[in-house]
Each structure stands twice: as structure tokens, then as C-alpha cells.
Amino acid sequence: MSATITAPRQRGGFRLRLTNRQREAVEGYICVSPWFFGFLIFTAGPMLAALGLSFTELRLNTMPKFVGFSNYAAMAKDPLFWHSLAVTVRYTAVSVPLRLVLALAVALLMTRSLRGIFALRTVYYLPAVLGGVPIALLWMWVLRDDYGILNYLLGVVGIHGPRWLDDPSWAPWSLVMMSAWNFGMPMVIFIAGLQNIPAQFYEAAAIDGAGAWPRLRHITLPLLTPTTLFLLVSQVIASFQVFDIAFIISRGDGGPVRSTLVYLLYFYRQGFGYFRFGYASALVLVLLLIILALTALIFRSSSLWVFYESEVR
Amino acid sequence: MVGRSAGLRSMRARVTRGRPGLGRTGQRRLGDAVTYAILLVGLTFTLLPFVWMLSASLKPEGKILVFPPRLWPDPWTWENYRYVLQQTLFPRWVINSLLICCITISAHLISGSLVAFGFARLRFPGRDVLFMIVLSTMMIPFQAYMIPRFKIIQWLGLLNTLLAVVLPYLFGSPFYIFLIRQYFMTLPLELDDAARIDGCNTFQIYLRILLPLTKPILATVAVLEFLAAWNSFLEPLIYLNSMENYTVSLGLSLFRQGWGGMIHWGPLMASTALSALPPLIVCFAAQKQLAGGIAVTGIRG
């Protein structure tokens, strides 16, 4: 055994090299087998099963019954499907740009070399380590319309604050506020992106006498677009999957008057409220398709606005 | 990469400071002052919810819902914390959550590093295809296969057990495998060859030579997984249904339902503060590890 091991790997005889190869292959398969096992049983298998289930009617303790495309047909006629999709799209369309702009603005300030900037960075990042449940609870307390601190502060400057959590036209905005507050992750990634912009561009600009705005407009923003693209894609994907905060503020029912019934909350209610597993599977697969299509669309559009240094224009 | 960007930062700082017009130092001081001012205003926005939560958690009942709201608790009391820790199942939920964190962290470190070692260091047919599958499953949201996974857990008779929450995560997860694999790739192959000449077999190379060198990335994985497991909500929500088995997040959502239809903000904010404490400590104590994870990808966000 030790002879095989100590034999030179590269220049051994043909037969010996082959056995070493085979041996390495077997060891390789053994090493990756835990993942492969878990992948088959808990990801790939369930994934295919979900596809299959979406063509069936399945309740909590029944056998699946094949129903063809009727789940998908039912979706097209389900007003709540369209409603929850609209709620989610509106939430994404407002919260993602808001979050990214906030994150970029703070990141730009954070890259100045100032005393105490690292401590500030950590504090700004704090909300990002919290889960959706504590975030929603914190904000429910801040946003209470009668005794909450936000409406009190608004009152000080003469604005009569709305009933954030009980008014259907304002409840989605409280979701937006919770997500905007949590901009630590994109901020840190923007900071990393900003620090990777080569200094010679700024040196050249300084020699040309370019001011702060032209430097931002013509150097920083264009060279940051690959980071922006990455963040845009990941934030849109995450935003379409919003669940925890909507579940908590509405006690799981998407209220008031379904104004916070985001897509996954509707999926959860169908699947684990009414145990309509077949229909819920169809819902979640459509969400997956929407996310894939959006991602593809953003990547397709990237050739118009993302600037890579190696590219000549 | 870190060293390089730090160098660039200082270089750039020097360049951006040199502006024409006003005196150089004067303009820099002005810019610094404005930056500080804006960041401090932003700090209020970031910290206000935390401070407001702490304030409520330290107020006696009857002093919480008052108008105008008072930030400073007068008188102070630990009553809400005492209530949460002694009269509710909260301590039990903390133990459950910690147990789940410990098990999944160990599992990810063991299977994650072994799988990553296989992908990074050994050659076998189909390796690249399999690794592409690892990468692509990283993109699929958990909800997409949540229902069949629930049925499997149900079929195994594990519903309402903590094992249900950890079982799917015992086999390594794509994101961590990817992180550790990237780290393995940076270690020179000569290490393996030298160890082999010295008589190590493959497993010994993994365990004795390479694993000790990957401690930094393993620490990052441990930190990220702690946060992920501690904050996880949807998965425990579908598997666990008796209160003794709840995790901290589930317990909080139960408190949110209120006691007898009424939300008691004092205990609710005290338990929220307690639940936020471990992640916040981790954020301060493990900044380097968190940054390590973000540097590779920012997928978790």
C-alpha cells in the first residue's frame, strides 16, 4: 500500500499511474458523496417532486391526484394570485432602488478616510445581522400610530403621522421602511467595490482639475456598475422572496385588507394554511420562473449600462 | 486583495484631498465635518429602533403606552426581562435555537470541508459538472422545494422535532462548499505532493495538512451559519408546532400574537432585545469573519 502511495504521481509507469488515477477518483467520489446524497434527497428530488405535484391535487393526508394543468389554469383566474404578485412587484420596485441608493450614498461617505469610520461602519451594518422577525417587531413598536416614536417625531415637526400598520394604504410602506433600514449588506459590498476602483483614474482626474461631481459621474459610477449589477440582481431576488416581516406585522394573514399579502405569504397560506399542496407547488414554481426571467432580463440589459474595464468603447 | 485595496484607499484619499481653490486643509476639514454630520444623522435612523426597543423593555407596565413618548425609562425596571426569563418558555427556545446552531455549524464544517476538499484537490470524472450543479443550486430558493421536503420530513415521522430542522443541513450546503473550495484553491498543490511523499494518504492530507490551514474560512462559515440558523424562521415554522420545540424566532412570533389578544410591549420588547443580542455580539466580535464571507460573495443578504 505504501508503495502505491509513495510512487511518483506524474512520472510513474503507465499501469501505476492509471491505478493512482482510479484511486484518486474513488476518493473524490467518497469526499463529495455527503453533498451528493443530501442534494438528491433534500434538493433535487424535492425539486422534481414539486414540479410533479404542481400537476396534481394533494391535501395533507391524501394521495396526489393528477389534474393536468388545472392548477395553473386556476392561478390565471385567481384574483389573489394577481394581487399578491402586484403587492410583491410594488414592494420590490420601491424598496430595492431605495435600499441601493441609501447603501451607495452611505458607502461613498464611508470610503473617506476619517477617524472612527470603522466603528461607524459596524454600527450601520448592525441591522443586517438581525432576522426578519426581530426587525419586524422593532419597527412595529416604532411605527405604532398612537404611542410610537416616529409619529411623535413627525408630530413635533407638524405632520400628522398615518396609521402605519392599520391603514391598508400605508402598511406596504412600513414594509419598505423595514427593508430600507436594513441596507448594511449592500453598503459593505459597495464599499468593497469602491475600494477596488484603481487610484490612477482619480489621479488623472485630479491633474485635469475635475471636481467632485464629475469624478463621481464619470469615474466612480461607471466603474462601480459591475458591483451595482450584482447587487441589483441579488436584491431583486431576495425582495421577491420577502416573507418574515410581512408574516409578523400581519399575524400571517397579509392584512390589513391584504395590503401586505406578499407572494410567499399567499403561497404559505395556500400550502400550510389550507394544505393545498398541489396548488401551492404551482404557485412557487411560477415565482421561480418569474425570478429567473427577471434575472435574465437584468443581465440582458447589463450590456447597455454595465461598464467593464477591459471593454473598449 | 485586502492589502491591495487598503493601499489604494490611502493613495486615493491623498488624491481626492488635493482640490484646487480653497486651502487644501480647510476644504478637507469642511468635507470631513459634512461627512460626519450626515453620518451621524444616519446613525440616528439606524439606532433609533434599537434604543426605542431597549427603552420599552426597561419600563414598568403602565409607563410604556404613554403620550408623549419618553425615551428615558423612569423608573427603571428589569421586570420585563425577569418575566420573559422566568414565566415563559423563552429560555427553552434559546436552548433549542442554540442546539440547532451547534449541530448545523458542526455539520457544515465537517461535511462542507470534506466535499470542498474533494472538489478542490482530487481529480475524478464528472467533477466539473458536479461542481456546476453545486453552484446552480445556490441560486434556487428554498421555497421552491419546501413542500416536498415537508412531505419527506412528515414521512420520516420527524414533524415537530428539532431533528427536522437540522436534518437537511447535515450534508453540506452549496454556499459553504463554494466558500471553502475557493479557499482550498488558494493553497499550493506542492503541499499535497510533499505530504504524499512523506507517506500521508489522501484522508491524512485533508485532515492533517490542509484543514488546519483553512481555519480562517471555517471560522467565516461558522459565523455565517450561526446567523442563518439563529434567524431562520420559515423552516421551523412549517415543521414545529408544539411550543416546547419552538426556536427563538418562532417564540417571538407567538409573543407577537399577544397574551389574551393584547400585545404586551414590555415583555415583547425585552424578548426581542434578548433574541437580537447573540447576532449583535457576533457582529461586533466576528467582524473579520463576516467581512471574509462578504468579500467572496455577497449572496447572503
Side-chain angles (χ1 to χ4, degrees), chain A residues 5-6 9 21 24-25 27-29 31-32 34-39 41-43 46-47 49-50 53 58-61 106 109-115 117-118 120 122-127 129-131 133-134 137-142 144 146-149 152-153 181 185 188-189 194-197 199 202-203 206 215 230 238 241 243-244 247-249 251 264 267-268 272 277 280-281 284 288, chain B residues 1 5 8-9 11-13 15 17 19 28 31-32 35-36 38-39 42-43 45-50 52-53 56 64-69 114-115 117-119 121-125 130 133-134 137 140-141 143-152 154 167-168 171 177 193 196 200 202 227 231 233-234 237-238 249 252-253 256-257 265 268-269 272 276 279-280 283-284 287 290 294 298 300-301:
Chain A
I5 292 167
T6 49
R9 275 166 89 195
R21 272 248 166 119
E24 193 177 333
E27 286 166 345
Y29 289 126
C31 281
V32 302
W35 163 76
F36 194 69
F37 179 75
F39 167 72
I41 298 199
F42 290 109
T43 307
M47 195 71 210
L53 285 183
L58 172 65
R59 302 285 173 139
L60 188 56
N61 288 313
V106 176
L109 296 174
M110 291 270 179
T111 41
R112 294 175 65 101
S113 49
L114 294 176
R115 195 177 303 162
I117 205 78
F118 284 98
L120 275 175
T122 310
V123 176
Y124 270 84
Y125 186 75
L126 284 180
V129 297
L130 296 186
V133 178
L137 291 173
L138 280 184
W139 277 92
M140 278 176 65
W141 177 227
V142 169
R144 250 193 91 113
D146 42 6
Y147 301 110
I149 190 96
Y152 171 74
L153 292 176
W181 180 62
M185 179 62 87
V188 170
I189 296 170
L194 286 169
Q195 288 171 346
N196 279 334
I197 296 177
Y202 293 102
E203 285 158 14
R215 278 202 305 262
F230 166 73
Q241 295 172 47
F243 176 80
D244 300 5
F247 183 93
I248 292 295
I249 72 163
R251 279 202 184 88
L264 277 182
F267 154 76
Y268 173 81
F272 296 88
F277 286 139
S281 298
V284 80
L288 190 63
Chain B
M1 187 186 136
S5 61
L8 283 180
R9 202 186 325 139
M11 275 169 78
R12 211 180 90 209
V15 173
R17 278 174 197 169
R19 282 173 212 172
R28 196 190 74 208
D32 287 358
T35 308
Y36 274 130
I38 299 174
L39 287 178
L43 207 61
F45 173 65
T46 309
L47 287 181
L48 185 74
F50 287 114
W52 188 230
M53 161 187 77
I64 296 177
L65 298 178
V66 292
F67 195 87
L114 185 70
V115 173
F117 170 76
F119 278 124
R121 293 311 237 219
L122 301 171
R123 285 159 301 178
F124 51 90
L130 286 176
I133 296 177
V134 172
T137 49
I140 303 174
Q143 294 86 358
Y145 44 84
M146 175 171 129
I147 287 175
R149 195 184 263 189
F150 173 84
K151 293 300 268 186
I152 292 173
Q154 188 189 27
L167 185 67
F171 309 100
I177 292 173
D193 293 335
R196 224 172 265 278
C200 282
T202 307
L227 293 176
N231 292 332
F233 179 64
L234 182 54
L237 178 69
I238 61 172
S249 294
L252 285 179
S253 80
R256 185 256 176 271
Q257 309 289 328
W265 287 98
L268 182 63
M269 286 298 110
T272 306
L280 293 182
C283 182
F284 276 110
Q287 288 180 42
L290 274 174
I294 295 162
R300 301 214 148 206

Side-chain angles (χ1 to χ4, degrees), chain A residues 239-310:
Chain A
S239 173
F240 262 82
Q241 295 172 47
V242 59
F243 176 80
D244 300 5
I245 52 175
F247 183 93
I248 292 295
I249 72 163
S250 71
R251 279 202 184 88
D253 66 6
V257 209
R258 296 182 184 134
S259 57
T260 60
L261 187 70
V262 293
Y263 197 98
L264 277 182
L265 195 49
Y266 184 54
F267 154 76
Y268 173 81
R269 289 177 64 76
Q270 286 294 329
F272 296 88
Y274 310 122
F275 296 107
R276 298 177 62 192
F277 286 139
Y279 188 59
S281 298
L283 278 174
V284 80
L285 287 179
V286 167
L287 178 69
L288 190 63
L289 286 181
I290 294 173
I291 289 178
L292 281 178
L294 264 178
T295 310
L297 202 70
I298 297 173
F299 274 113
R300 282 288 291 277
S301 80
S302 71
S303 64
L304 300 175
W305 60 276
V306 176
F307 182 82
Y308 291 102
E309 263 179 74
S310 52

Side-chain angles (χ1 to χ4, degrees), chain A residues 201-214:
Chain A
F201 290 110
Y202 293 102
E203 285 158 14
I207 291 166
D208 292 344
W213 172 248

Side-chain angles (χ1 to χ4, degrees), chain A residues 57-234:
Chain A
E57 195 188 303
L58 172 65
R59 302 285 173 139
L60 188 56
N61 288 313
T62 61
M63 289 305 283
K65 192 175 98 205
F66 183 76
V67 292
F69 279 92
S70 72
N71 282 328
Y72 293 96
M75 271 171 80
K77 280 184 255 152
D78 179 356
L80 282 182
F81 156 73
W82 293 106
H83 173 75
S84 63
L85 186 60
V87 169
T88 311
V89 168
R90 277 199 298 264
Y91 167 79
T92 304
V94 179
S95 74
V96 171
L98 188 63
R99 230 176 153 192
L100 290 186
V101 167
L102 267 177
L104 177 61
V106 176
L108 283 169
L109 296 174
M110 291 270 179
T111 41
R112 294 175 65 101
S113 49
L114 294 176
R115 195 177 303 162
I117 205 78
F118 284 98
L120 275 175
R121 238 182 247 181
T122 310
V123 176
Y124 270 84
Y125 186 75
L126 284 180
V129 297
L130 296 186
V133 178
I135 288 179
L137 291 173
L138 280 184
W139 277 92
M140 278 176 65
W141 177 227
V142 169
L143 294 174
R144 250 193 91 113
D145 55 276
D146 42 6
Y147 301 110
I149 190 96
L150 184 69
N151 274 4
Y152 171 74
L153 292 176
L154 287 175
V156 169
V157 292
I159 301 170
H160 185 74
R163 303 176 66 214
W164 293 103
L165 299 162
D166 300 323
D167 182 340
S169 52
W170 284 99
W173 288 99
S174 35
L175 292 183
V176 167
M177 220 178 312
M178 291 170 198
S179 109
W181 180 62
N182 191 1
F183 64 78
M185 179 62 87
M187 174 194 79
V188 170
I189 296 170
F190 267 135
I191 290 176
L194 286 169
Q195 288 171 346
N196 279 334
I197 296 177
Q200 61 259 32
F201 290 110
Y202 293 102
E203 285 158 14
I207 291 166
D208 292 344
W213 172 248
R215 278 202 305 262
L216 178 70
R217 174 73 190 76
H218 297 292
I219 299 176
T220 311
L221 291 183
L223 288 176
L224 204 58
T225 45
T227 309
T228 314
L229 172 68
F230 166 73
L231 282 174
L232 188 65
V233 169
S234 58

